[in-house]
């Protein structure tokens, strides 16, 4: 899965699939080729999760900045 398909994954979908990939890797019993494919998929899923979390952090930071700005404007108006 690459590109558009990964972009369509929600955070929860990517996280759940990543959990399953890790579980399979930890269980062992897979060939080297399959283990490498699982590892690569895990890396892709981790990137999807990271992008979601970074986006959420940016939205939170923007909301906090707006709130701080609105509080500052309210304080200035009250002081006038």
């Amino acid at each position: 899965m690459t590109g558009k398909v990964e972009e369509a994954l929600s955070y929860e979908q990517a996280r759940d699939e990543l959990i399953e990939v890790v579980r399979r890797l930890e269980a062992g019993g897979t060939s080297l080729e399959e283990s490498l494919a699982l590892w690569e998929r895990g890396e892709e899923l981790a990137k999807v999760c990271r992008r979601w979390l970074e986006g959420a952090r940016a939205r939170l930071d923007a909301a906090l900045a707006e709130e701080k700005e609105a509080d500052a404007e309210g304080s200035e108006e009250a002081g006038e």
Side-chain angles (χ1 to χ4, degrees), residues 4-79:
K4 298 266 188 225
V5 176
E6 281 183 6
E7 291 173 14
L9 287 175
S10 70
Y11 170 79
E12 291 79 9
Q13 290 169 322
R15 180 202 60 211
D16 291 346
E17 187 178 341
L18 180 56
I19 289 168
E20 178 61 21
V21 166
V22 170
R23 186 196 64 73
R24 289 181 61 195
L25 284 169
E26 288 178 341
T30 57
S31 68
L32 177 59
E33 188 67 30
E34 186 177 4
S35 293
L36 287 172
L38 285 168
W39 179 268
E40 290 170 348
R41 181 64 182 152
E43 289 292 326
E44 292 171 3
L45 292 164
K47 287 177 187 175
V48 171
C49 290
R50 193 174 307 116
R51 281 193 298 268
W52 274 107
L53 293 173
E54 287 170 354
R57 170 57 71 188
R59 290 174 59 192
L60 179 60
D61 289 345
L64 291 172
E66 280 183 28
E67 183 178 315
K68 189 174 183 178
E69 186 177 308
D71 287 346
E73 288 175 3
S75 295
E76 289 175 9
E77 290 175 8

